[in-house]
Amino acid sequence: MASLKAVKDRIATVTSTRKITSAMKMIASSKLHKAQSRIENMLPYERRLNRILIDFLAFDSEERSIYTENRVVKSVAIVVFSSNASLVGGFNANVIRRVAVMLDEYKYLGIENIHIYPVGKKVAEAVKKLGFKIEGNFTNLAEKPSYEEASDLARILMDKFKKKKIDKVELLYHHFKNTAVQSLTQDVFLPIEFPKVERHFPEHMDDFIIEPNSREIMESLVPKVLLIKMYTVLLDSNASEHAARTMAMQLATDNANDLLQELNLQYNKTRQQAITNELLDIVGGSFK
């Protein structure tokens, strides 16, 4: 059985660790509250914007954009969202495993035709280890989501798609559902895919007037939808990261509490045994 000093040292170490994990949980929880508020405020706007575009397509189903063009995939871009730091449970590991599968699926294109845009240091490091070259440096976005920087990334991808340097863009990120659940999502960013719409629309659109014309509205609306989508995905991933860290630190704190109970029990048993041994020694000595 371990000595009293050894058990006492372990208790002190676990107590110190519990204080750290508890503090990190509080910080992550605070950040989650802000991130959750941002994504909840953003999602209705994004969904409404998509609804407007779908209604527009229902009104004029012949009008299309360069960004809706489906073509044979000869070159692909993958935007992967992870975190910059660890202590997030399986958040980064799940992303890295899935992106490895995606890269394997596209290996027939050749390494030079697979363009990876990592948002987060963890996935950037993993992709490099897999032997792939990463495009740009967007790690700052993982920690500090910015509409301007997310828009810049979206515009880079849109420009390359428009110039036919890439034929498809996929997004890999965690979708925030609640603090306990973040679902890993693989989504097509380009070409834009909308649900099939029929040529009928609600009563409020009976007097639908387009100014100045369908082409200009499409050229303005579609890029706006894409920019908002990239930013929304970024906020989604950021909220998921803080939720994963909150849960991981809560679990670590709970484990520390359980371990402390075991150590305190062990300490008391060891102390009681030491006292018993001393009493036995005293009693044994008195009969000599």
Side-chain angles (χ1 to χ4, degrees):
M1 187 174 287
S3 67
L4 279 173
K5 184 178 184 307
V7 177
K8 195 171 183 180
D9 288 344
R10 285 196 66 194
I11 290 174
T13 300
V14 175
T15 301
S16 177
T17 301
R18 184 182 62 175
K19 288 180 181 178
I20 294 171
T21 57
S22 180
M24 290 184 70
K25 182 218 166 186
M26 291 178 63
I27 294 170
S29 181
S30 175
K31 289 182 177 180
L32 170 61
H33 180 72
K34 295 177 182 177
Q36 186 175 353
S37 177
R38 287 197 298 265
I39 188 63
E40 287 177 350
N41 289 333
M42 195 67 196
L43 277 174
Y45 178 68
E46 188 219 8
R47 288 168 181 164
R48 182 56 182 161
L49 198 60
N50 274 282
R51 183 71 255 170
I52 291 172
L53 184 55
I54 291 171
D55 288 344
F56 176 75
L57 291 174
F59 179 82
D60 190 351
S61 60
E62 300 303 319
E63 197 63 65
R64 286 294 180 268
S65 164
I66 183 65
Y67 301 115
T68 63
E69 179 185 342
N70 280 289
R71 50 186 185 245
V72 176
V73 178
K74 297 178 181 178
S75 180
V76 66
I78 304 173
V79 186
V80 194
F81 296 79
S82 74
S83 71
N84 286 342
S86 301
L87 302 177
V88 286
F91 182 82
N92 291 319
N94 293 336
V95 171
I96 291 168
R97 278 195 296 268
R98 177 69 70 84
V99 78
V101 172
M102 292 176 69
L103 293 173
D104 189 57
E105 290 173 351
Y106 283 118
K107 67 181 179 181
Y108 71 92
L109 296 174
I111 261 185
E112 68 280 0
N113 294 316
I114 302 176
H115 309 277
I116 306 168
Y117 293 80
V119 180
K121 290 180 182 178
K122 293 302 177 181
V123 75
E125 293 169 357
V127 167
K128 285 180 181 178
K129 288 180 181 178
L130 290 172
F132 289 84
K133 180 183 176 182
I134 63 174
E135 305 280 349
N137 181 7
F138 303 97
T139 54
N140 185 57
L141 279 174
E143 190 171 344
K144 298 179 180 178
S146 160
Y147 176 74
E148 289 74 19
E149 292 184 57
S151 298
D152 289 342
L153 173 56
R155 288 190 182 96
I156 289 170
L157 296 167
M158 290 159 62
D159 183 62
K160 290 191 174 184
F161 183 84
K162 191 174 183 179
K163 293 178 179 177
K164 299 187 177 181
K165 292 182 179 180
I166 52 177
D167 303 303
K168 187 178 183 181
V169 180
E170 290 205 54
L171 306 176
L172 181 62
Y173 63 99
H174 278 90
H175 169 58
F176 175 81
K177 290 186 176 180
N178 54 55
T179 305
V181 181
Q182 305 86 44
S183 102
L184 190 58
T185 304
Q186 185 176 336
D187 194 12
V188 176
F189 183 68
L190 287 170
I192 289 183
E193 296 178 350
F194 290 107
K196 291 182 179 179
V197 290
E198 299 178 5
R199 287 190 66 85
H200 69 268
F201 30 88
E203 292 181 3
H204 72 272
M205 293 180 64
D206 286 346
D207 297 324
F208 201 63
I209 300 173
I210 298 176
E211 291 288 349
N213 57 62
S214 298
R215 169 52 54 187
E216 290 191 32
I217 293 295
M218 181 66 79
E219 289 179 352
S220 173
L221 189 57
V222 171
K224 183 71 172 177
V225 168
L226 288 169
L227 297 182
I228 292 297
K229 181 173 183 177
M230 183 63 75
Y231 182 54
T232 304
V233 167
L234 176 63
L235 293 180
D236 219 354
S237 177
N238 185 252
S240 296
E241 176 194 342
H242 294 312
R245 182 170 286 109
T246 300
M247 291 302 297
M249 292 302 100
Q250 178 63 59
L251 182 60
T253 302
D254 291 344
N255 289 339
N257 286 330
D258 293 340
L259 185 55
L260 277 174
Q261 287 184 353
E262 294 177 9
L263 288 171
N264 282 321
L265 181 61
Q266 183 181 353
Y267 178 82
N268 290 334
K269 286 182 177 180
T270 303
R271 184 169 176 271
Q272 187 177 28
Q273 184 177 355
I275 292 171
T276 301
N277 289 337
E278 287 180 8
L279 288 173
L280 288 173
D281 289 340
I282 294 170
V283 172
S286 65
F287 287 103
K288 289 182 180 179

